[in-house]
Amino acid sequence: MTEQTRGTTPDPTGATLGPFPTAAAETTATTAPFPTAADLIALPGTPLADAIVNLIQPVQTQSVFNHSIRTYLFARLVAARLALTAGDDYDDGLLFAACALHDLGVASDGPYRQRFEVEGADRAAEFLIERGLPAADADQVWQAIALHTSPGIAERRGTLCVLVREGLAVDFGGPMGAGHLDDVTDEQADAVHTAYPRLHMIRSLTDAIVAQAAKTPKNAPRYAIPGEFLRERETYGQTRMELACRSSRWGN
């Protein structure tokens, strides 16, 4: 996949931010790629997508699995809102891989040797390379997964990282950022949540992150999401994220 350069904004440091389409492009972007609810919730019909689902579904709670799939569905809606087109501006197969595999680090069959973001990124990249993806594509997915809890960094690492972060932010309903939350209509959200219910996602995902972090101190570095979630649960019985999500758009 070739990184998008159209509509990017140069940074004084020489880095490239984006993609950021013009205001006119954002204003005219519609949900035309998803005219029906069936289109909205459709997953890629590829052997790789099927293999990814078969990998993660048995080793994640249904709640975390649904969250991973919703992240992809919401990321596609954000891409449409940003006037980004699959095949031209981003690779839909890589987007599905990065979103669906982003919490592989909390899978029940994991080695539990590193913080969950890195462990999941390593497992995802290895899985993709074993199935014939070029190393460069696998590395894009690695970055998107490893950086998905790193706001302000992920957004500087290209289109795929941007879309994964934004899809996640929408699925959290506000606490991880609300830049595109209002771009999702109630009807769209209802279709996504009907197909992939939330099932107390915030608590279920936090449980999984904390359990993985508790395996070894290396998994729970201070001031990183897994370390802070573990310490907050041990000290207060719940995390600040769980508290914040009570007032999110989705409520759990």
Side-chain angles (χ1 to χ4, degrees):
M1 172 179 171
T2 301
E3 280 297 323
Q4 146 129 354
T5 56
R6 175 183 59 81
T8 55
T9 302
D11 179 71
T13 65
T16 299
L17 309 181
F20 297 115
T22 64
E26 284 206 32
T27 299
T28 59
T30 70
T31 58
F34 315 108
T36 69
D39 296 314
L40 178 62
I41 63 172
L43 304 185
T46 65
L48 179 59
D50 291 343
I52 288 171
V53 170
N54 290 336
L55 172 69
I56 63 175
Q57 195 162 26
V59 296
Q60 293 180 337
T61 65
Q62 189 65 46
S63 177
V64 173
F65 172 80
N66 287 0
H67 158 65
S68 299
I69 302 301
R70 287 196 310 270
T71 296
Y72 165 72
L73 300 177
F74 286 138
R76 286 195 310 182
L77 283 172
V78 172
R81 181 66 178 88
L82 293 174
L84 301 177
T85 304
D88 293 328
D89 303 311
Y90 68 94
D91 185 313
D92 188 60
L94 296 187
L95 180 62
F96 181 75
C99 291
L101 295 169
H102 82 270
D103 281 328
L104 185 57
V106 299
S108 60
D109 64 343
Y112 309 122
R113 292 191 296 263
Q114 305 178 81
R115 56 185 288 183
F116 84 96
E117 305 99 316
V118 176
E119 187 157 290
D122 285 351
R123 292 190 66 186
E126 180 180 4
F127 176 84
L128 295 174
I129 289 173
E130 286 176 352
R131 277 148 187 82
L133 262 70
D137 287 352
D139 185 62
Q140 287 190 57
V141 173
W142 188 96
Q143 287 193 59
I145 294 174
L147 296 175
H148 81 267
T149 63
S150 299
I153 300 175
E155 292 83 353
R156 299 284 291 271
R157 300 307 302 161
T159 306
L160 187 63
C161 288
V162 169
L163 292 179
V164 172
R165 274 287 304 175
E166 293 297 339
L168 279 168
V170 171
D171 197 46
F172 272 78
M176 287 185 65
H180 292 284
L181 187 59
D182 291 339
D183 295 338
V184 178
T185 68
D186 289 341
E187 292 76 15
Q188 290 169 334
D190 288 345
V192 170
H193 287 132
T194 297
Y196 297 97
R198 298 191 68 80
L199 306 176
H200 304 287
M201 182 274 288
I202 302 300
R203 185 181 66 199
S204 180
L205 179 58
T206 303
D207 287 345
I209 293 171
V210 169
Q212 200 271 359
K215 297 290 184 181
T216 172
K218 189 176 180 179
N219 294 4
R222 289 302 304 265
Y223 311 117
I225 288 290
E228 294 310 294
F229 277 14
L230 176 61
R231 275 172 273 279
E232 289 170 3
R233 274 284 189 89
E234 290 176 339
T235 303
Y236 306 111
Q238 59 186 328
T239 65
R240 287 177 291 177
M241 177 64 77
E242 290 170 286
L243 287 172
C245 285
R246 290 180 182 176
S247 58
S248 74
R249 179 174 173 182
W250 318 127
N252 63 51

